[in-house]
Amino acid sequence: MIQRKQTIFLLLALLALIACLCLPIGKIEPKGMGMLTIWYNLGLFTDGAVHAQPIPFVDLVVTGILSFIAIFLYKKRMIQAKLCTVSMILCLAWYAYYAFCALYEFQTIGTFHATFAACLPFVAFILLIMARRGIIADEKLVRSMDRIR
């Protein structure tokens, strides 16, 4: 299981998603006087006040769970490839919501600044692409061996 390169890619993608869940993904400087607002996946934090925004959190948790499940489905390669595809779509959905909030929703509050953790779902996306390619290559290899028999 761990010898396969796609298992390593899936594990690294899972670690990138977990790191993104723990780190702030943006900061909002107020236009006038006020406190700096820090945006985590769970919501906005301003001086002890929490404004929940669970959509990015739920998206990354589901993506992480699917990646974790895909690690253990190494004998069912096509299901594993489909889980990678769904995880990639969820990463893109996370970025769509992130862009919507950064460009439209937070403009009324202040100036938005992205942080390093915002690139971690993209890293996970790239790793999921590499894992899916490895899974598809394994499936082709197994099918070609079945034809030879």
Side-chain angles (χ1 to χ4, degrees):
M1 174 178 75
I2 198 72
Q3 296 90 356
R4 298 171 62 216
K5 63 182 178 182
Q6 51 269 30
T7 303
I8 302 295
F9 294 145
L10 287 169
L11 189 62
L12 289 174
L14 178 64
L15 292 175
L17 292 170
I18 290 172
C20 184
L21 284 170
C22 298
L23 298 173
I25 55 174
K27 295 180 181 179
I28 305 166
E29 291 182 20
K31 288 184 180 176
M33 293 188 60
M35 298 296 294
L36 179 72
T37 303
I38 300 174
W39 185 22
Y40 287 88
N41 281 299
L42 199 51
L44 299 170
F45 292 89
T46 306
D47 192 36
V50 179
H51 304 285
Q53 282 189 326
I55 294 173
F57 179 78
V58 170
D59 187 284
L60 285 185
V61 167
V62 170
T63 305
I65 290 171
L66 291 177
S67 298
F68 184 72
I69 291 170
I71 290 172
F72 296 104
L73 291 176
Y74 57 92
K75 290 185 180 180
K76 300 176 182 176
R77 287 175 293 280
M78 293 315 293
I79 294 173
Q80 194 178 29
K82 288 178 185 177
L83 285 177
C84 286
T85 304
V86 170
S87 294
M88 290 187 302
I89 291 169
L90 287 173
C91 283
L92 292 177
W94 186 88
Y95 271 110
Y97 185 77
Y98 185 83
F100 170 75
C101 288
L103 296 175
Y104 298 110
E105 191 172 322
F106 297 151
Q107 292 302 319
T108 59
I109 300 172
T111 306
F112 180 77
H113 301 285
T115 59
F116 166 74
C119 73
L120 291 175
F122 182 70
V123 171
F125 180 78
I126 298 298
L127 289 167
L128 288 167
I129 289 173
M130 293 168 56
R132 187 176 184 284
R133 285 186 182 171
I135 293 164
I136 298 299
D138 276 359
E139 182 64 23
K140 286 181 182 177
L141 180 66
V142 168
R143 288 187 186 194
S144 70
M145 290 296 165
D146 285 344
R147 271 185 280 167
I148 293 174
R149 288 187 210 173

